[in-house]
Amino acid sequence: MTSQPESVDPEAVVKEFCAVWGRRDIDEILSWFTEDAVYHNIPMPAAQGLDAIRNLLGMIVVPSESIEFDILRIASAGDVVFTERIDRFLMGGRKIELPVAGVFEVRDGKIAAWRDYFDMQMFMQPSP
């Protein structure tokens, strides 16, 4: 289990963080956030702080049989990293492929803020 990012390069941190999701380990995922982090799936209310983020992760990770974040494009300016991704979930035998635009703010090798923009209806309905 990787509990600390291996790099402080913001793009490398985000790439490593996205890869960690495939292991579906909430504690490991949570270890990539700063204590005061904000995680905001834009269609939903923001989660502020590790306890709130843990609760949100529980709603995503626990019901998922598999998770894969496929980064299509990545760009950064300073500590801000932009991603275009396809997030894939298998939940209750249902495949979900979700196009996502994500914005990460990295501080000292950890995620201080993460905003994902996506269509909630696509998350709620199975992929064709």
Side-chain angles (χ1 to χ4, degrees):
M1 173 168 79
T2 304
S3 62
Q4 294 292 332
E6 295 177 11
S7 172
V8 292
D9 171 59
E11 281 189 33
V13 168
V14 170
K15 287 178 183 177
E16 293 169 24
F17 173 74
C18 287
V20 163
W21 277 76
R23 292 194 283 274
R24 299 175 22 246
D25 180 330
I26 290 175
D27 290 328
E28 182 178 15
I29 295 167
L30 201 61
S31 75
W32 287 76
F33 288 95
T34 63
E35 293 285 328
D36 62 344
V38 176
Y39 174 26
H40 194 181
N41 283 316
I42 296 303
M44 302 165 48
Q48 170 83 47
L50 294 179
D51 289 338
I53 293 170
R54 178 182 295 282
N55 290 337
L56 183 54
L57 292 176
M59 292 188 293
I60 300 166
V61 174
V62 171
S64 296
E65 299 158 49
S66 67
I67 301 172
E68 175 192 7
F69 287 3
D70 183 10
I71 299 174
L72 305 175
R73 288 169 187 76
I74 191 167
S76 61
D79 290 337
V80 179
V81 180
F82 295 83
T83 59
E84 178 184 9
R85 308 187 316 267
I86 302 292
D87 292 358
R88 294 181 178 89
F89 302 89
L90 181 61
M91 293 180 152
R94 188 171 60 102
K95 291 182 182 180
I96 301 166
E97 290 195 0
L98 189 64
V100 178
V103 180
F104 298 82
E105 295 175 30
V106 177
R107 185 174 63 225
D108 299 324
K110 292 198 172 211
I111 309 297
W114 177 19
R115 293 174 299 280
D116 269 351
Y117 300 83
F118 60 92
D119 181 350
M120 183 61 90
Q121 284 299 105
M122 291 186 76
F123 184 75
M124 303 305 287
Q125 298 175 353
S127 297

